[in-house]
Every structure is written in C-alpha cells, then in structure tokens.
Amino acid sequence: MGAHYFIIDDLGSFLGNLEARRYSKERSNSWVVYSKTVSGALSKHYAYSLSKPNHPMQIRVTYDLTKGGKPLQKLVDTLKKLNDNYRKSLPVWKTKRPRSDVRERRWVNLQRFLHKHSELIYCFKYEADNRLTEGNHSFNLQVASTPKEQKICIEFIKALAEAYAPQSIVRRQRQADKPVHQRNGWIKRYTELHRKRGWKTFEIAREIQKELRDGTWNERSRLQFNLANNTICKIAGLKLTHSASAWN
C-alpha cells in the first residue's frame, strides 16, 4: 500500500480535529492510527510514529477501498445516473426535454449526492502542489491498490468532473437519434409500407437505394448513403435474390 506524508506544527489541534470528525484511534506497534470509513466505500488512515517525536510532526496517510471497490462502484453507477438524468433536462439536449421543475428537482438530487458524500469526494480532489500539505498530487494517487480499483477510481473522478460542470461536457445523443439508426428505421418503415402496396423486393430495394443516394429520405438532414443492395435487404428484412436481371 502506498502512503503520503505531510508535516504539521500543532499535533494536538490536528488530533482534536480528527476526533471531532469521528475518527477512531488505535495503537499499532509504535504507531498511533486514526481511521474512518467514509460513505461505506473508503477507509482513510492518519498515523504518526511514537518513536519519532519530532517537531514539526510527520503524518502518514493511507487508504483502503472497502470490499475491493464494490461499494464505490455502486456510488459511481448512482452518480452517473444522476448526471445523465440532469443533463437530459438541459436546454442543449437534442431530444424532448422535461419541464423546468423536473430539471430543478434533478439538480437538487445531484447536489444532495455531492453533499452527502463530500468527505469521500475530498479524498479525490487535488488541492495543492505543496509537499507540506495533505493536498499533494501523490497523496491523491494512493487510493487504489489494484488495476480494478484504479479503474473504479478513474470512473468516479470522471463522473465527478461531469457532476461539477454538467454543461461543459459535449452533449450526448440517444442511440435512436444517431444518423445510422434513423436511416435504418426509415428503411424498415419504407419497406413495410410498400410491401402492403404489393411492391416486389427488388422494386423496394431499388427505390430505397435511390433515395439514400440522393439524400431525399430525410428532408431535414439531407444525409446521403451509398449502400449495396444486399445491405439494404439485410436491414429491411427482405429476402435476397441473386438474379442479376431482377435488379435491372
């Protein structure tokens, strides 16, 4: 397990602060260790050595993710969902948006999560680049001890970045709003409509191909696609025919 060290001048005030924050105390050989589990996901340990009664005092900080990171992963999933729900209600969202009161409620839910887990979040925040403070960057890199835990921590940091600046992240699109999915949906609807009118397979595929090449299948986007006949038939669910004359 990695550790970070920082220096303090007033040990009494520092320990009093830990006790006020409900850190538990125990002796481990020549070390005095103050520990606390935050949000059920991360155990944080402050320790100082009795064999080195220096002034100023050196404090060691170590971490343990509980249950191999599973509780933290649950928090990551919850935060991602809160982020997604809120961002879908923003004016820049591509599809239909909820009312403003729904957006406000989702924002409040997101802020409640951040407030509830603020002590956990602090463990992942970069405060300063000073070797004499707890906010040194090396301190923040000591949370994970395995590649799996590291992956969970990175996902948590990414979700936090989005939660604190939801409007600065490029908006997402629903899968159904992507051009390829819109095109495939149009092909299927066009096929179904013209099947009912008695059109033959090669007639349907030929007209679909023409409209895709001309970009007339979607009057708003004018996107053009050049698909082979067998690809069109596969998307449309049409039975393929290998008769060359049928396509002429």
Side-chain angles (χ1 to χ4, degrees), residues 61-75:
V61 187
T62 55
Y63 293 97
D64 292 308
L65 283 181
T66 61
K67 298 180 181 179
K70 290 182 179 179
L72 182 59
Q73 182 64 65
K74 289 183 178 180
L75 292 177

Side-chain angles (χ1 to χ4, degrees), residues 199-246:
W199 285 38
K200 297 179 180 179
T201 296
F202 76 90
E203 293 176 326
I204 297 173
R206 184 174 57 194
E207 288 303 311
I208 288 174
Q209 189 178 63
K210 181 178 183 302
E211 291 213 34
L212 289 176
R213 286 176 175 173
D214 294 341
T216 54
W217 67 278
N218 188 328
E219 292 294 335
R220 288 180 300 172
S221 65
R222 291 285 181 178
L223 291 173
Q224 295 175 310
F225 292 93
N226 188 18
L227 300 182
N229 290 322
N230 60 342
T231 302
I232 292 173
C233 289
K234 184 176 181 180
I235 294 171
L238 295 170
K239 186 177 180 180
L240 294 173
T241 175
H242 298 286
S243 175
S245 61

Side-chain angles (χ1 to χ4, degrees), residues 86 89-91 98-108:
Y86 175 65
S89 67
L90 293 176
R99 302 186 310 272
S100 59
D101 60 320
V102 175
R103 179 168 64 248
E104 179 64 24
R105 184 166 64 250
R106 292 179 180 181
W107 172 253
V108 170

Side-chain angles (χ1 to χ4, degrees), residues 7-190:
I7 305 298
I8 59 171
D9 293 318
D10 188 346
L11 180 62
S13 296
F14 176 74
L15 298 181
N17 179 268
L18 292 181
E19 292 172 357
R21 290 158 55 193
R22 300 183 179 179
Y23 274 76
S24 63
K25 176 184 176 181
E26 66 175 347
R27 287 280 297 271
S28 178
N29 298 324
S30 61
W31 289 85
V32 177
V33 183
Y34 284 77
S35 304
K36 181 179 179 180
T37 299
V38 293
S39 298
L42 177 71
S43 294
K44 186 174 183 180
H45 314 280
Y46 291 100
Y48 65 93
S49 176
L50 293 175
S51 62
K52 299 179 180 179
N54 299 325
H55 183 80
M57 178 66 72
Q58 186 180 67
I59 303 296
R60 184 187 72 187
V61 187
T62 55
Y63 293 97
D64 292 308
L65 283 181
T66 61
K67 298 180 181 179
K70 290 182 179 179
L72 182 59
Q73 182 64 65
K74 289 183 178 180
L75 292 177
V76 171
D77 295 339
T78 299
L79 182 55
K80 284 182 176 180
K81 185 175 181 179
L82 290 170
N83 285 339
D84 197 46
N85 286 341
Y86 175 65
R87 296 204 41 235
K88 285 181 179 178
S89 67
L90 293 176
V92 296
W93 190 258
K94 187 176 180 65
T95 55
K96 184 178 180 180
R97 299 180 299 277
R99 302 186 310 272
S100 59
D101 60 320
V102 175
R103 179 168 64 248
E104 179 64 24
R105 184 166 64 250
R106 292 179 180 181
W107 172 253
V108 170
N109 290 338
L110 179 57
Q111 297 310 303
R112 282 176 179 168
F113 178 95
L114 297 176
H115 177 73
K116 180 179 179 180
H117 301 289
S118 58
E119 194 166 0
L120 172 67
I121 293 169
Y122 174 78
C123 297
F124 292 87
K125 293 179 71 174
Y126 174 81
E127 295 295 336
D129 189 13
N130 187 328
R131 295 183 183 278
L132 301 183
T133 68
E134 189 179 341
N136 183 268
H137 67 278
S138 61
F139 162 88
N140 298 291
L141 294 177
Q142 300 295 344
V143 176
S145 58
T146 67
K148 182 179 179 180
E149 289 183 356
Q150 185 182 62
K151 181 179 179 181
I152 295 172
C153 290
I154 291 173
E155 287 299 310
F156 187 50
I157 292 170
K158 288 167 61 179
L160 287 174
E162 183 172 342
Y164 280 103
Q167 300 193 49
S168 66
I169 309 296
V170 177
R171 74 168 185 246
R172 298 172 181 162
Q173 289 181 305
R174 296 185 311 173
Q175 196 77 347
D177 293 324
K178 295 182 179 180
V180 171
H181 290 269
Q182 291 178 336
R183 178 203 67 194
N184 292 353
W186 173 82
I187 290 175
K188 293 174 183 178
R189 292 191 299 272
Y190 188 98

